[in-house]
Amino acid sequence: MGVVVTRVYDLLGEHKLIAVTVDGQRMLPAVFFDESGRVNRFVPGVIALLSDGGYDDREILDWLFTPDDSLPGRPVDGLHGHLAREVMRRAQAAGL
């Protein structure tokens, strides 16, 4: 990512990123980042929308990574293209 590890912990603490625990190790999904290694600008927003709507971290990850035929694809993939605003709209509606 090209950032100090303490900054990553700050992003996790601020709930702008969500880590996945695999075999006891916290990992960040690569799809949360753009091709230059920066956090995709929509990821913190969609996390906040779903969290404010009552979703816990596991439910947020499930929502982001579950394929949706009407998008098409996974919402997390839509955050990298022209579907980003639609994904944000759906996240907001899901939290209501």
Side-chain angles (χ1 to χ4, degrees):
M1 290 176 50
V3 297
V4 183
V5 71
T6 54
R7 179 65 187 135
V8 175
Y9 287 124
D10 288 344
L11 291 169
L12 290 166
E14 295 166 3
H15 212 233
K16 293 183 178 181
L17 287 177
I18 298 173
V20 178
T21 303
V22 178
D23 296 329
Q25 294 210 337
R26 290 172 75 186
M27 299 182 179
L28 298 170
V31 74
F32 282 178
F33 303 92
D34 63 21
E35 44 294 328
S36 65
R38 282 182 252 131
V39 176
N40 175 289
R41 67 185 182 132
F42 296 106
V43 168
V46 78
I47 290 171
L49 286 169
L50 292 169
S51 182
D52 290 350
Y55 284 61
D56 64 27
D57 287 355
R58 177 85 261 153
E59 292 169 325
I60 292 170
L61 290 169
D62 287 345
W63 189 89
L64 284 169
F65 286 90
T66 300
D68 183 337
D69 292 338
S70 67
L71 277 175
R74 303 177 306 175
V76 73
D77 297 323
L79 294 175
H80 290 276
H82 67 281
L83 294 173
R85 300 244 182 251
E86 177 62 15
V87 171
M88 296 297 286
R89 187 192 67 71
R90 290 179 186 207
Q92 186 175 22
L96 296 178

